[in-house]
Amino acid sequence: YTLFKTISVANIRRIFMSNCIIAQSGGPTAVINSSVVGLLKGNKKMKAFDNVYGGLNGIEGILERNIINLSEISDEEISYFRFTPSSGLGSCRYKLKDPETNEEEYDRLMKIFHEYDIKAFFYVGGNDSMDTINKLSKYAKKKNIDIKFIGIPKTIDNDLMYTDHTPGFGSAAKFIGTTAIETYLDSSVYTNNGIFILETMGRDTGWLAASACLARIDNKPVADFIYLPEVVFDEEKFLKDVRKRFEENNKVYIVVSEGIRNKDGKFISEIESSTQDKFGHAQLGGVCNYLKNIIIENGITNRVKALELGILQRCSMHCASDMDLKEAYDVGKCAYQYAVDGETGKMVAINRTSNFLYDVSYTLVDTEKIANQVKYFPKEWINEEGNFVTQEAYDYFKPLIKNMPELAFEGNLPKYKVFNL
């Protein structure tokens, strides 16, 4: 799909004197605001809508009429906004009820859209956000409401189906790789080194942890072992492998996903109280400390350090990928053009057309195929021992972390702009 496709006069007239609205949902990324700016710039050039509104705090905020007019914001502020990490419009974890059993929220939302003369709604998000787009588009069709609903992908987890990768992932991968190199060097300074464990996000999939394979010194991976949720975590084998490597090298560097499970399918790091988020997902974290404790308890060494990266993976614009920032912008611009062309109930997908000379194209996928589905890390990209990844994985990740964005600075710190505070 061509990014700068000419919009026909007929399509412009069809939505003449109308507005659109965009909102963000779910966990933030370093480049999520770039998708909003891509849509804004598309409209500024082609002028299919009179105004582009922003819903603050996603669907939840729109239902409370927390809406601003992004078309009235200065170009300078929008430029700062594009290079700002996290959800500059605010986010939410709000799950719409099934319209077959409860239409009240849908009626309220459509009334608000009517008041603002909204003809297109764009939602920047992941699996659950695509579920929202799917429900809204079906409801609008059932009620014969002329509003287009388009999903714009984002998630650092890289777990959306039918897209090669998701905006936000490349920057998270770059941060993880950089952090792995730096902490490896820090943990390797003594004659009697110990064991370092780096924990990444990844409730269901290992994309983030696997990206640590990018971290290399003299073309040699800094990580000795990488453990992913796609492979059953065998505690006995883990201890045996770590003990052997430590005896050989006097140091071991381990990368682990928070979502690793045992043979019974139980999360290693699952909180005893089984705390869940609003979507019913188990809230994880702390697996690195569990591994640290069993290493010490089994007498391998007492010199064990553990680092849980946490939210730094999704908000580190200072270590973002410029390629990621560009693609986030492009999917926003494509979403705009697809809506003007009359598409609805779909998400913009990224297709890798070349890996050697990296290139992508953009297409649409029905959100029904994406909603509540998970794209797992390919098992064929995991080694036979289940404790590292293959060259194919490295080749897949490498182009996604290309270049650094040029940030604006104020007082020697990055200058950022948000609208939800």
Side-chain angles (χ1 to χ4, degrees):
Y1 194 89
T2 305
L3 276 177
F4 302 101
K5 179 180 177 183
T6 302
I7 298 176
S8 69
V9 173
N11 280 330
I12 292 177
R13 288 174 177 171
R14 179 174 61 81
I15 55 174
F16 184 64
M17 293 299 292
S18 62
N19 306 310
C20 69
I21 188 168
I22 185 168
Q24 301 166 327
S25 178
T29 79
V31 300
I32 187 172
N33 299 321
S34 189
S35 294
V36 179
V37 177
L39 188 143
L40 268 171
K41 294 296 185 180
N43 190 62
K44 186 171 183 179
K45 178 180 179 181
M46 301 175 183
K47 298 179 173 59
F49 297 103
D50 293 310
N51 297 286
V52 177
Y53 289 105
L56 303 184
N57 298 108
I59 286 289
E60 188 173 16
I62 295 173
L63 286 167
E64 298 297 324
R65 289 182 169 78
N66 294 329
I67 298 170
I68 62 172
N69 191 342
L70 294 171
S71 296
E72 295 178 349
I73 307 297
S74 70
D75 288 344
E76 183 181 32
E77 287 185 296
I78 292 299
S79 178
Y80 294 142
F81 174 65
R82 184 189 176 197
F83 292 91
T84 297
S86 190
S87 304
L89 298 178
S91 188
C92 70
R93 293 193 181 277
Y94 191 87
K95 193 174 182 68
L96 289 173
K97 299 178 178 65
D98 185 347
E100 296 297 324
T101 58
N102 191 325
E103 293 186 350
E104 189 270 334
E105 289 177 316
Y106 296 84
D107 290 339
R108 282 171 54 203
L109 193 62
M110 297 305 166
K111 181 179 179 182
I112 293 169
F113 284 166
H114 179 72
E115 290 175 7
Y116 283 83
D117 197 17
I118 299 298
K119 292 298 181 183
F121 171 67
F122 304 91
Y123 216 17
V124 191
N127 292 310
D128 297 311
S129 303
M130 296 312 124
D131 178 62
T132 297
I133 288 292
N134 184 46
K135 288 176 178 175
L136 288 171
S137 62
K138 287 183 175 179
Y139 181 80
K141 183 177 181 180
K142 177 182 176 181
K143 298 292 184 177
N144 198 29
I145 298 172
D146 185 23
I147 299 177
K148 308 307 176 188
F149 296 91
I150 299 290
I152 300 174
K154 72 87 206 165
T155 174
I156 67 167
D157 293 318
N158 199 37
D159 61 354
L160 294 188
M161 295 288 289
Y162 300 102
T163 183
D164 179 78
H165 56 278
T166 53
F169 172 71
S171 293
K174 187 166 189 171
F175 174 77
I176 290 169
T178 302
T179 303
I181 292 174
E182 293 173 344
T183 52
Y184 169 80
L185 293 172
D186 183 87
S187 64
S188 304
V189 298
Y190 302 107
T191 56
N192 181 24
N193 292 299
I195 296 173
F196 194 95
I197 307 170
L198 185 73
E199 178 183 335
T200 73
M201 288 180 173
R203 178 181 60 238
D204 299 308
T205 68
W207 294 99
L208 288 167
S211 71
C213 73
L214 290 164
R216 299 187 174 197
I217 294 179
D218 296 329
N219 205 32
K220 179 184 177 182
V222 304
D224 293 289
F225 304 111
I226 297 177
Y227 295 95
L228 314 178
E230 284 80 1
V231 176
V232 171
F233 181 73
D234 185 330
E235 189 170 306
E236 289 187 11
K237 185 177 186 306
F238 167 78
L239 291 169
K240 181 180 178 181
D241 290 342
V242 171
R243 185 186 299 276
K244 183 175 184 294
R245 189 62 56 88
F246 184 69
E247 290 174 352
E248 293 171 346
N249 299 338
N250 193 35
K251 62 181 178 181
V252 184
Y253 194 98
I254 301 166
V255 180
V256 60
S257 170
E258 66 177 352
I260 60 170
R261 306 173 189 238
N262 61 22
K263 63 181 180 180
D264 298 319
K266 298 290 185 180
F267 288 113
I268 299 298
S269 61
E270 192 166 3
I271 300 172
E272 290 184 4
S273 62
S274 299
T275 302
Q276 297 180 334
D277 65 19
K278 290 185 178 181
F279 294 113
H281 303 143
Q283 292 187 325
L284 308 179
V287 67
C288 59
N289 287 315
Y290 176 83
L291 298 183
K292 172 183 176 179
N293 291 335
I294 64 172
I295 288 171
I296 294 173
E297 289 168 3
N298 282 270
I300 298 175
T301 180
N302 289 324
R303 294 179 60 82
V304 186
K305 294 181 180 180
L307 175 63
E308 182 180 343
L309 288 180
I311 62 171
L312 288 170
Q313 294 157 98
R314 67 190 196 193
C315 64
S316 297
M317 175 58 81
H318 68 282
C319 192
S321 158
D322 195 57
M323 179 62 72
D324 192 27
L325 191 78
K326 174 187 178 298
E327 291 181 342
Y329 181 96
D330 289 347
V331 293
K333 194 163 189 176
C334 280
Y336 167 85
Q337 294 176 323
Y338 279 125
V340 171
D341 283 346
E343 299 286 358
T344 189
K346 297 176 181 179
M347 183 195 83
V348 179
I350 302 174
N351 305 292
R352 188 178 306 214
T353 55
S354 174
N355 202 48
F356 178 68
L357 296 175
Y358 178 73
D359 196 18
V360 299
S361 63
Y362 302 90
T363 55
L364 284 180
V365 181
D366 289 333
T367 51
E368 189 170 26
K369 295 180 179 180
I370 301 168
N372 304 310
Q373 302 297 315
V374 176
K375 182 182 74 175
Y376 295 99
F377 187 81
K379 287 190 176 181
E380 61 269 24
W381 289 0
I382 303 174
N383 68 357
E384 292 183 3
E385 294 294 313
N387 57 18
F388 209 80
V389 298
T390 66
Q391 181 66 33
E392 286 83 0
Y394 176 84
D395 293 340
Y396 168 86
F397 294 131
K398 188 177 179 181
L400 305 183
I401 65 169
K402 186 178 180 182
N403 296 334
M404 295 285 291
E406 295 184 9
L407 305 181
F409 285 82
E410 184 176 64
N412 293 314
L413 294 176
K415 183 176 178 61
Y416 295 141
K417 175 65 181 179
V418 298
F419 300 107
N420 63 310
L421 299 179

